Amino acid sequence: MLETWLTRELGLTVPIIGAPMGGRAGGVLAGAVSAAGGLGMLGAARYTTPEWIAAESAVAREAGGGRFGIGLQTWSLPENPAMVDAAIDQRPTVIALSFGDPDGYAQRICEAGIPTMSQVNSVQDMRLAEQAGIDVIVAQGTEAGGHTGHVATLPLLQEILDATDLPVLAAGGIATGRGLAAVLAAGAQGALIGTALLASPEAVGPDYAVPRLLAARSIDTVYTPVFDQARHQPWPQRWFGRALTNDFTAKFHDAGGDEDTIAAAYDGADPDVGVVYAGQAAGLVNAERPAGEIVADIAARAEELLRRYA
Ligand SMILES: Cc1cc2nc3c(=O)[nH]c(=O)nc-3n(C[C@H](O)[C@H](O)[C@H](O)COP(=O)(O)O)c2cc1C
């Protein structure tokens, strides 16, 4: 068994967290990851609600034997502070405050006795998280699916590990045992996997998302603001989203345009236009497989590799 600070502290049997993924990670996926010995997280994106958090938490709790996490988008909390209370009310194993300064929110969650985690994209972000009292730092590289920063996972992870005494996890581009072994060997206490889980039957999303992911190679993603503009999601400009390329990105990513024009051209029901957020690990996802099997396989192969080099 791969034992790290993360497994000991959260009572896991594998050092893997199923990433919070807005629109794709609900209670069924989170529960499946937890049932496999990891920690599954709900992606409580800006467009979800306190009611969604309550309903999906119940599903995750039931399916995962009680353990699950909730991932909030920090920048959006001032317009919807009830999301923090809703997350606290569910007493999850961990709450993630990602993308933005967690000051204030982290203290409230800590007072409720719930550990906090924050995905960061630079050492500066990490310092803000440290000052806010966050318990676990996630170095999230630009390879990651969904919203992320500009620095790649390996350089960011090395920088963050050298800069903090807090436990550090890695996210972005990890989809096999090789990736997990690499970040554990570097000093991370575990990994968040997102893209690796997106072809699982437990993930939610439009019907075209899985076939498009299976067909995608690692070069078929783009780091772009166009889907936020298309869906009127007011993300701060320092975080674009990594998505699979399609007709829509071909038309608008380089050319740009005003938000109303971009939004008018968007149709989420059209497989050639609708967004499929996914990372560069898309090229490593080649079959539809249950989430629990993926988690167990990544952990087993990482252990095998690390033993070989121990
Ligand atoms: C479809 C999708 C949606 C995401 N939504 C969120 C989100 O709502 N909140 C969040 O903190 N991170 C979100 N992320 C980022 C993940 O938490 C994680 O950092 C990322 O998936 C790790 O990289 P990987 O996709 O290469 O495994 C999302 C990622 C994906 C693929």
Side-chain angles (χ1 to χ4, degrees):
M1 191 179 123
L2 285 171
E3 198 188 311
T4 69
W5 175 92
L6 181 73
T7 60
R8 285 190 297 274
E9 210 55 29
L10 301 188
L12 314 182
T13 55
V14 298
I16 295 176
I17 292 186
M21 295 188 285
R24 305 299 305 276
V28 175
L29 180 60
V33 172
S34 292
L39 180 77
M41 297 194 66
L42 304 176
R46 170 178 181 266
Y47 48 78
T48 60
T49 59
E51 293 73 27
W52 183 90
I53 289 180
E56 297 299 320
S57 293
V59 174
R61 192 179 292 111
E62 170 80 24
R67 242 185 357 243
F68 69 100
I70 300 175
L72 300 169
Q73 297 175 347
T74 314
W75 65 270
S76 71
L77 297 177
E79 67 173 11
N80 197 0
M83 296 288 276
V84 183
D85 300 311
I88 291 174
D89 285 350
Q90 295 305 319
R91 316 282 326 156
T93 310
V94 66
I95 294 178
L97 291 161
S98 303
F99 313 118
D101 185 353
D103 189 37
Y105 304 114
Q107 288 88 334
R108 271 173 57 199
I109 296 167
C110 174
E111 277 160 25
I114 299 167
T116 53
M117 196 170 97
S118 185
Q119 302 204 63
V120 302
N121 307 108
S122 68
V123 170
Q124 291 76 7
D125 293 342
M126 187 278 291
R127 290 279 175 243
L128 291 177
E130 267 184 343
Q131 283 157 19
I134 289 284
D135 300 304
V136 187
I137 301 293
V138 183
Q140 188 211 32
T142 194
E143 303 94 315
H147 287 81
T148 183
H150 294 265
V151 182
T153 302
L154 268 184
L156 182 67
L157 178 64
Q158 293 169 79
E159 259 188 323
I160 299 274
L161 282 166
D162 282 347
T164 185
D165 292 328
L166 289 174
V168 175
L169 309 177
I174 299 159
T176 68
R178 296 185 197 283
L180 178 61
V183 299
L184 291 178
Q189 304 295 334
L192 266 71
I193 60 168
T195 298
L197 298 170
L198 289 178
S200 308
E202 294 93 343
V204 289
D207 288 345
Y208 55 77
V210 171
R212 289 212 34 234
L213 179 66
L214 295 180
R217 301 160 297 173
S218 55
I219 54 170
D220 295 329
T221 74
V222 62
Y223 181 64
T224 185
V226 295
F227 292 114
D228 291 326
Q229 294 161 339
R231 304 191 303 164
H232 296 301
Q233 293 296 312
W235 273 81
Q237 284 299 289
R238 60 161 292 201
W239 295 290
F240 290 175
R242 184 171 297 285
L244 299 183
T245 51
N246 63 6
D247 290 353
F248 195 74
T249 60
K251 185 156 183 197
F252 291 108
H253 172 65
D254 285 331
D258 69 276
E259 182 161 318
D260 288 339
T261 309
I262 292 175
Y266 185 72
D267 177 3
D270 181 340
D272 296 320
V273 170
V275 61
V276 178
Y277 279 122
Q280 292 177 343
L284 296 166
V285 182
N286 301 310
E288 212 170 331
R289 290 168 71 201
E293 201 179 294
I294 294 165
V295 168
D297 186 50
I298 293 176
R301 285 171 192 268
E303 190 172 352
E304 217 176 279
L305 282 166
L306 290 169
R307 278 234 183 84
R308 202 187 301 171
Y309 296 107

